[in-house]
Amino acid sequence: MSLSRSHTYGPALRGAVASLSAVKILAFAIAVSVATLVAFPLASLARLAAIGDADLWPHLAAYVLPVALLQTALLLLGVAAITAVAGVSTAWLVSTFQFPGRDTLLWMLPLPLAIPTYIAAYVYVDILDAAGPLQTALRDLFGWRAGGDYWFPPIRSLGGAVFVIGFVLYPYVYLAARAMFQTQCAIFTDAARTLGARPWRLMRDISLPLARPALAVGVALALLETLNDIGASEYLGVQTLTLSVFTTWLNRGSLAGAAQIALSMLALVAGLIALERYGRRRRDHQSGAQDPRMAERVVLGGGWGWLATLTCLAPVTLGFLVPAGFLLREAILRGLVAGFDHDLLRHTATTVALAVCATVVVLMLGIAAALPLRAVPRPFVLACLAVATMGYAIPGTVLALGLLSPLVAVDEAVNWLSMRVGGTHVGLLLAGSSVALVVAYAVRFLSISIGFVQAGLTRVSTEFDDVARLLGAGPLTLVRSVHLPLLRPALWGAALLVFVDCLKELPMTLLLRPLNVETLSTYIYQFATRGSFEEGALAALLIVAVGILPIIWIVRQSEMIPTAFRVPSICQ
């Protein structure tokens, strides 16, 4: 019997070993390729900055960088304060207490993520500027006529940018804090309550220390989104590093100068990543509780209950209800639906097509990058995967600048080959077409796909792989028949987030799009630069409406399976 089994399973075992060796070789090749896709633009950026005009750097260092660094640092500090306070307080209230409207607010609190920062900036300038409805109503009410009769906080300022961006991006911290508060075990809170601790002290001494790793990730993601912003900061008159890259490249025609500023931005990004890693140190300390019960919510009644409701409603109103309501009002009053602009239909089709193509590419690359780590958990593969997930941490302007030279180099190689073979010059196939946008989207949002695939794979036992290999399944069969069906929920979540991020991406689209290509975000941007943003309200409303879909998915996941949703780290 033993000899018979050895004879039967011998070929299968040899085939499984041979298949595993092939998988290892393929894993290393894929890991290197995906890491190169992200690392090459950074190397190109460094090369471009190094060979640039040496006389330009002293001018930038003396007149451009000091102002841009100061403005960027103050903007980041202000946004960090607003997102941390708004995100933590609302997450703590809905996780700890039961109060009027709590169940509705659970769905509403993440909704500001559907509002791009540049759209929120356009809306608040229209509302709060001197010619806006609020100041006009105040002048009519109190009889003020001249600017010296009263003072109103200027929205086109650093403080205005902090206000707008902070209340749009606080859901990053809210989702991270909510996920941690929701899963903290009752053993800690029950013991503290028995000793007479009040809810505020429970938050200060127990909830916040346990949630610190997730809060670090949430704040860091919000700050990276702030650093990536260009539309809001430009419109509100804040000279950030991102805007300096944009103006130096396009307005001053200095590609090398823009690259030198971009390298300064990368140093700031590295600092943010280091702070995030420091905040997540010793993050496993919270898993030692042996009581799996979730802490029960405390019922708040009377004035305290309504105060909690108003506290949670305030950021939702400022971050979502006001911008969305303004867009809807403008679209109706201006007859933008009845007098539908047919160009908008074409721009919408272009935007959706680009987002779909980029989403498919990102999902394929994410699967190809994350699956090899399952078969070959080697330090080299882990390092390559960490490089591949850095794209999200790179601001869009920096990434676009770094991709330009590699894309042109590929085009030149194709043209050289075409001239040698057929004697024809094919032109800029990549850098001069929408392919450049798809490549840029793929590099920047690859970390989302990798994070979701890795999270999905943790729920798939490696025994499935072993059994499939013993039955003669090759790597492709294993992926097609086992991994992909089990990863379907994670892939849908990644696809939703990547699609919407591509839909509202502005910096990379402005810098890399061909001259004859217009997306919804650039369509809105053109109206805003001409001072007639209201005419693009319908396009902005389309972006917001589509952006709500992944928010609903995230809330459903976090409510049905609290431990299934986590805000991912910046770099895995």
Side-chain angles (χ1 to χ4, degrees):
M1 179 67 71
S2 176
L3 290 174
S4 175
R5 287 183 177 177
S6 176
H7 177 73
T8 302
Y9 291 110
L13 287 172
R14 287 193 295 272
V17 172
S19 175
L20 189 58
S21 300
V23 168
K24 289 182 178 180
I25 297 174
L26 183 63
F28 278 97
I30 291 175
V32 172
S33 301
V34 177
T36 302
L37 182 66
V38 178
F40 205 65
L42 300 181
S44 171
L45 187 69
R47 171 185 165 276
L48 188 63
I51 64 175
D53 187 359
D55 296 332
L56 182 62
W57 176 249
H59 171 78
L60 294 176
Y63 300 105
V64 177
L65 280 178
V67 176
L69 278 171
L70 179 61
Q71 295 271 291
T72 302
L74 293 175
L75 178 63
L76 293 178
L77 286 173
V79 170
I82 288 184
T83 54
V85 172
V88 171
S89 61
T90 53
W92 178 66
L93 286 172
V94 298
S95 301
T96 308
F97 302 103
Q98 185 69 42
F99 50 87
R102 174 193 173 275
D103 295 339
T104 303
L105 287 167
L106 277 177
W107 289 87
M108 295 179 66
L109 280 165
L111 288 181
L113 283 182
I115 306 285
T117 53
Y118 53 89
I119 290 180
Y122 303 155
V123 168
Y124 273 107
V125 166
D126 271 24
I127 294 175
L128 301 179
D129 213 6
L134 182 58
Q135 290 200 51
T136 301
L138 289 175
R139 287 195 296 268
D140 292 341
L141 180 62
F142 295 103
W144 295 330
R145 291 292 178 263
D149 289 347
Y150 71 101
W151 177 84
F152 195 86
I155 186 64
R156 292 180 182 266
S157 63
L158 178 62
V162 169
F163 167 79
V164 171
I165 297 175
F167 280 108
V168 169
L169 298 182
Y170 82 85
Y172 280 112
V173 180
Y174 164 79
L175 290 170
R178 166 84 174 130
M180 297 306 297
F181 293 156
Q182 197 175 4
T183 55
Q184 287 178 3
C185 296
I187 187 173
F188 301 114
T189 55
D190 286 352
R193 284 171 182 165
T194 302
L195 296 173
R198 305 293 295 174
W200 170 252
R201 186 162 185 187
L202 291 177
M203 178 190 183
R204 187 193 65 188
D205 296 340
I206 297 178
S207 297
L208 276 181
L210 293 178
R212 187 192 63 199
L215 299 183
V217 176
V219 172
L221 287 173
L223 295 185
L224 286 173
E225 284 298 315
T226 304
L227 203 58
N228 180 61
D229 170 77
I230 190 173
S233 56
E234 180 187 22
Y235 201 66
L236 297 174
V238 181
Q239 186 65 31
T240 62
L241 286 170
T242 306
L243 185 58
S244 298
V245 172
F246 181 77
T247 54
T248 303
W249 180 359
L250 295 186
N251 297 347
R252 300 178 184 174
S254 176
L255 197 62
Q260 291 166 342
I261 299 175
L263 286 183
S264 303
M265 287 186 66
L266 288 182
L268 187 56
V269 168
L272 289 177
I273 294 176
L275 286 175
E276 183 255 353
R277 290 296 176 90
Y278 178 78
R280 291 191 298 116
R281 70 194 188 281
R282 299 191 299 273
R283 59 179 173 178
D284 293 333
H285 71 283
Q286 59 194 343
S287 59
Q290 299 178 358
D291 188 350
R293 295 180 297 111
M294 298 300 106
E296 294 184 2
R297 290 191 296 272
V298 178
V299 178
L300 284 180
W304 288 110
W306 288 109
L307 180 61
T309 302
L310 292 175
T311 302
C312 292
L313 188 60
V316 174
T317 301
L318 296 173
F320 179 78
L321 294 179
V322 169
F326 179 86
L327 294 175
L328 184 60
R329 172 183 174 273
E330 290 297 320
I332 294 174
L333 291 181
R334 295 177 180 272
L336 298 179
V337 177
F340 187 76
D341 183 3
H342 294 288
D343 286 340
L344 178 58
L345 190 62
R346 177 164 51 86
H347 301 329
T348 302
T350 300
T351 306
V352 171
L354 287 171
V356 168
C357 291
T359 300
V360 172
V361 171
V362 167
L363 289 181
M364 293 175 63
L365 289 176
I367 294 170
L371 281 177
L373 186 62
R374 183 178 177 85
V376 191
R378 302 287 180 84
F380 177 76
V381 178
L382 282 169
C384 289
L385 196 63
V387 173
T389 58
M390 287 179 59
Y392 193 79
I394 304 173
T397 50
V398 176
L399 192 57
L401 189 60
L403 279 171
L404 189 63
S405 294
L407 291 173
V408 172
V410 173
D411 284 336
E412 290 177 348
V414 171
N415 279 286
W416 179 86
L417 184 61
S418 177
M419 290 292 292
R420 293 294 183 274
V421 174
T424 58
H425 191 274
V426 296
L428 297 176
L429 293 178
L430 299 183
S433 70
S434 298
V435 176
L437 285 176
V438 174
V439 173
Y441 293 161
V443 173
R444 189 170 200 289
F445 302 124
L446 179 59
S447 62
I448 297 176
S449 177
I450 292 176
F452 271 83
V453 173
Q454 283 185 308
L457 286 175
T458 58
R459 298 175 174 272
V460 181
S461 173
T462 55
E463 294 179 358
F464 291 116
D465 300 27
D466 298 336
V467 171
R469 290 194 187 99
L470 286 175
L471 294 175
L476 293 179
T477 303
L478 179 62
V479 172
R480 185 181 68 251
S481 303
V482 178
H483 294 150
L484 288 182
L486 295 175
L487 286 174
R488 190 174 291 117
L491 293 178
W492 272 113
L496 276 173
L497 291 177
V498 172
F499 177 79
V500 174
D501 278 338
C502 294
L503 205 67
K504 61 185 183 180
E505 171 63 32
L506 179 62
M508 291 189 299
T509 310
L510 278 175
L511 295 173
L512 294 177
R513 68 188 172 103
L515 293 176
N516 60 338
V517 171
E518 199 83 71
T519 66
L520 288 176
S521 59
T522 60
Y523 177 80
I524 299 166
Y525 179 81
Q526 298 300 330
F527 280 111
T529 54
R530 295 197 297 264
S532 57
F533 160 69
E534 301 85 351
E535 298 298 327
L538 185 58
L541 205 56
L542 287 174
I543 293 179
V544 172
V546 177
I548 291 175
L549 296 177
I551 306 303
I552 294 175
W553 180 87
I554 288 174
V555 174
R556 288 189 61 186
Q557 290 294 108
S558 63
E559 285 302 302
M560 291 188 299
I561 312 175
T563 57
F565 176 76
R566 292 286 187 275
V567 175
S569 176
I570 298 171
C571 301
Q572 303 298 329

